[in-house]
Amino acid sequence: MWLTSENLPSSPEGGDENLLRRAGRFAGWAARTGFTIGKRLPLPGLELAGEGLRQVERQVLTGLRRRLDEVDDPYVVALSAAGAEHAPNGTGELVPAREPLRAAMKELLDRSVGFGREQAREYLYATVLRQLTPDEARIIATLATGAAFPVIDVTERGFGGGRTILRNASTVGKAAGVTLADEVPGYLTRLAGFGLVELDDESAELESQYEILATEDLVRSAAKSARRARLVRRTVRLSRFGVRFWAACDPGEWTRVL
């Protein structure tokens, strides 16, 4: 498959087009083309270097990010409205603009009146989707298979339970092929904050995986920094909300480039 103008995702065809479907279609396109351009697809006649191909990827992905950030963002809507309100009125006087934060809140409240259940749900999912990093998307896609993965917290023994040295270390990042493996604890903390994953008690079925996780540098380094280290075992899997979120955003078949 060659990279041509036909392969690139087109711009939105009107503000009323469903944002979530556009993002899903792009994710499917990116999985099939964008994320494999630099390693697999030559450009006939152009002979672009690898850096040139990566620049194309960045431009396309930046364009998607900009659309996701701007479409239906109440703060952006408020800023645009503020600019219009500053325009001269019929008497030539400037109309005072509403404060952007207050206007953004009013925008959300106005939408809450007109939204039905499906619109409210799609808006919720789109808001979460805009905040995910590519690595976090990989983790969600991996957990969407239904598998559970081991999680270890490193705490310091002491009165009252002691302090936590490392929270949410897990092998799910390696399984997902994330780029920033050391950031997996932070990724899981964020995903839990979004309500996309849930952290449960230790699972006996993952005994061997806990032992492997305990030998990883991140966990061992945290344990060495504690006076009396204690490893707390847990598991991570998609939450019920995460399952519904994935069902709405699943781009279909996609290719992992590890």
Side-chain angles (χ1 to χ4, degrees):
M1 181 178 185
W2 307 102
L3 180 65
T4 68
S5 60
E6 296 179 354
N7 299 136
L8 295 177
S10 59
S11 59
E13 301 176 357
D16 58 346
E17 184 177 352
N18 186 283
L19 170 64
L20 205 55
R21 292 195 182 93
R22 292 205 305 273
R25 285 200 297 271
F26 180 88
W29 174 86
R32 293 190 298 273
T33 59
F35 290 111
T36 58
I37 291 172
K39 295 186 177 180
R40 297 183 183 180
L41 304 182
L43 296 181
L46 297 182
E47 300 181 355
L48 295 179
E51 179 57 32
L53 295 174
R54 286 190 291 272
Q55 183 177 359
V56 172
E57 291 176 323
R58 287 194 294 269
Q59 290 173 346
V60 173
L61 293 175
T62 298
L64 173 69
R65 172 65 67 181
R66 183 165 54 251
R67 293 200 299 275
L68 286 176
D69 286 342
E70 293 177 356
V71 175
D72 288 338
D73 187 315
Y75 191 72
V76 173
V77 172
L79 289 178
S80 299
E85 291 175 357
H86 267 113
N89 60 15
T91 64
E93 298 176 351
L94 292 180
V95 179
R98 183 189 304 272
E99 296 179 36
L101 291 177
R102 298 180 188 277
M105 177 58 75
K106 183 178 184 302
E107 178 73 19
L108 286 175
L109 292 173
D110 288 345
R111 292 179 184 184
S112 71
V113 175
F115 273 10
R117 289 178 59 86
E118 290 304 316
Q119 287 177 301
R121 183 177 291 110
E122 288 190 357
Y123 194 95
L124 170 62
Y125 293 160
T127 300
V128 173
L129 183 63
R130 284 198 294 266
Q131 299 178 75
L132 295 182
T133 69
D135 276 350
E136 289 167 344
R138 279 182 171 267
I139 291 174
I140 291 296
T142 299
L143 292 175
T145 63
F149 287 84
V151 172
I152 285 181
D153 292 347
V154 180
T155 64
E156 198 169 55
R157 299 177 187 272
F159 179 76
R163 65 189 181 101
T164 299
I165 308 298
L166 175 65
R167 190 184 304 276
N168 298 334
S170 177
T171 58
V172 68
K174 183 177 295 184
V178 301
T179 302
L180 302 178
D182 288 348
E183 301 300 331
V184 170
Y187 291 153
L188 289 186
T189 299
R190 276 170 43 85
L191 292 174
F194 293 142
L196 294 172
V197 304
E198 57 186 17
L199 298 163
D200 296 327
D201 295 333
E202 175 182 358
S203 172
E205 297 177 356
L206 301 177
E207 177 63 31
S208 61
Q209 295 189 45
Y210 285 118
E211 294 178 358
I212 293 174
L213 178 57
T215 65
E216 292 194 356
D217 291 342
L218 195 62
V219 177
R220 293 176 61 184
S221 177
K224 288 181 180 179
S225 68
R227 295 180 181 178
R228 299 170 58 197
R230 174 171 174 261
L231 303 186
V232 180
R233 296 179 172 185
R234 294 186 293 167
T235 59
V236 63
R237 55 172 50 87
L238 276 191
S239 65
R240 292 178 62 184
F241 174 69
V243 171
R244 295 194 299 269
F245 173 83
W246 178 255
C249 302
D250 182 359
E253 184 178 356
W254 62 292
T255 303
R256 300 187 186 191
V257 180
L258 304 180

